Amino acid sequence: MKAKRLVVVSNRLPIVLNRTGAREWKIRPGSGGLVTAMGPVLRHRGGLWIGWLGIPENDCPSDEYLRDIISAGTDQSGYSLRHINLCKEEIDKYYYGFSNETLWPLFHDLFTHCKFDQGCWDAYQRVNRKFAEEVIRHTDHDDYIWVHDYQLILVARELRRLGFDRQVGFFLHIPFPPLDIFLKLPWRFQVLDALLEYDLIGFQTARDRKNFIGCVRALTDYQVTGRGHVNSIHTDERPVLVGAFPISIDYREFNDFAKTQEVADEAWIIHANLPGRQIILGIDRLDYTKGISHRLLAFENALARYPDMRRRVTLLQVVVPSRRNVEEYEKLKQEVERLVGEINGKYTEVGWTPVHYIFRSIDRQELAAYYRTCEIALITPLKDGMNLVAKEYCASNIEENGVLILSEFAGAAAQLYPNALIVNPYDLEGVADAIYKAFTMPQDTRRMMMRRLRASIQRNDIVKWVNSFLKAGISKELSDFPQMELFVPKQ
Ligand code: GDG
């Protein structure tokens, strides 16, 4: 079989443009889970990435200038980029409105954060059409089109309306909600029908796939066949494959980078400045799904109930700015900063500050140094598609002495639960107990658990993920991707 060119379509391109002068721009790599995962895939295979640059059309440099900087980026990265222009109204309604204030909270089971607005839905449809037109303009029969995430659910529907009859795959990076929650969406039939225009739909976990199949059974008459890894839905037009493909990271890249001298030096400096302490690490985009406030309250609970931890632990919480234009995110920032202030105000002593709080994005080296050196990672989202930070922490923890505390509501729990301390992020006392358990865990237990975590992530890395998806998508063959079953809490 001739290898097809891979065409990735996502809301954002993997680069960010910053203006440095009247006509000067600096280009830097984007961050976020999708970019971390798909960057290495395209670097390995080559191909084309279609997406938006993250700034309004009016603020963009000229097309000619963009062509130059993008082609310079292509030479370095080994794949090409095509950008889509969005005007301010489209950004407000399609991106902030429907994607981030309707689908994002709804799919994370946080219905009370949802806004339902017909104008935003209309804009969402128009922008998805725009992406579809761009796909048609820049691809041909030798390409495999792979659309990503909740911002672009309607792309296949728009492609079909434009007469496109080639295979199109879709991967949802965030969770898919259960029927009772999905039903709240005023456009539930349109969204479900649009998903069924893809040939292959990939979810992060078996639970997401089950939720989706539950919605299909309840809201359509289509027959669903198959068991285990992949199901088929027999629509009037085509069979649609539906599978669980837990996303991963480039294990080797994180592991090798953590071993470099620069990272070792930076890790040493971090600990030299916090002598005699175990460092508990939290790293999240500013987002209410990540459970940052609950985590801070749980840490406070641990300090109150386990006084022997005082002066001997530091919580290092990095919060990366995100979606600054959404009012709720500004409120969340204030809430997090209030809690940090309260905890520090209550417990700080001369020579010890319980919470070190960083509100900015950090560079790759600093991130690797924290992963390598922090004794505990506290990753407690209220709901998360996968959570790559958990996997990155283990891949970079080359001394194998870290403990991973992980929310049962992160997709990663299905894979990592046997060797992580699994917690319910809403159970503040339970999280506090897990922090204390990690703090007092003997070295040999830490080492055994971390070794197993690292081995599991190494076996199921990003290359395996992409190959299994493409094998199912292009040749309709199932691969040997291991089944990650539901994580079911035990008493
Ligand atoms: C979505 C889903 C799913 C973060 N801060 C910095 C930084 N990062 C990088 C991390 C990691 C990525 O961003 C965050 O990935 P997550 O998976 O934790 O979360 P989302 O961005 O919400 O991603 C998620 C993912 O898609 C993939 O499918 O796992 O569930 O929500 O790679 O390292 N990187 C740098 N500086 C930072 O300050 N360099």
Side-chain angles (χ1 to χ4, degrees), residues 31-34 36-37 104 108 149 171 173-175 204 247 254 283-285 290 318 320 360-364 367 371 384-390 392:
S31 64
L34 197 150
T36 307
W104 176 268
H108 284 88
D149 229 359
F171 185 77
H173 290 254
I174 66 173
Q204 296 274 26
I247 202 166
F254 280 93
I283 296 192
D284 312 84
R285 276 190 307 100
K290 300 289 180 185
V318 181
V320 182
R360 58 185 147 77
S361 82
I362 55 176
D363 68 25
R364 191 171 159 247
L367 184 68
Y371 284 154
D384 215 333
M386 178 56 56
N387 195 296
L388 295 181
V389 170
E392 293 167 7

Side-chain angles (χ1 to χ4, degrees), residues 54 89 121 124 126 143 185 223 288 317 336 383 473 491:
E89 193 196 349
W121 165 246
Y124 183 80
R126 282 197 304 276
D143 296 330
L185 182 68
Q223 198 201 346
Y288 48 81
Q317 177 62 57
V336 166
K383 187 92 187 172
Q491 260 312 334

Side-chain angles (χ1 to χ4, degrees), residues 196-212:
L196 294 172
E197 296 287 352
Y198 288 95
D199 298 277
L200 170 64
I201 309 172
F203 294 102
Q204 296 274 26
T205 64
R207 176 175 276 123
D208 300 316
R209 187 193 56 192
K210 253 185 156 166
N211 287 345
F212 179 71

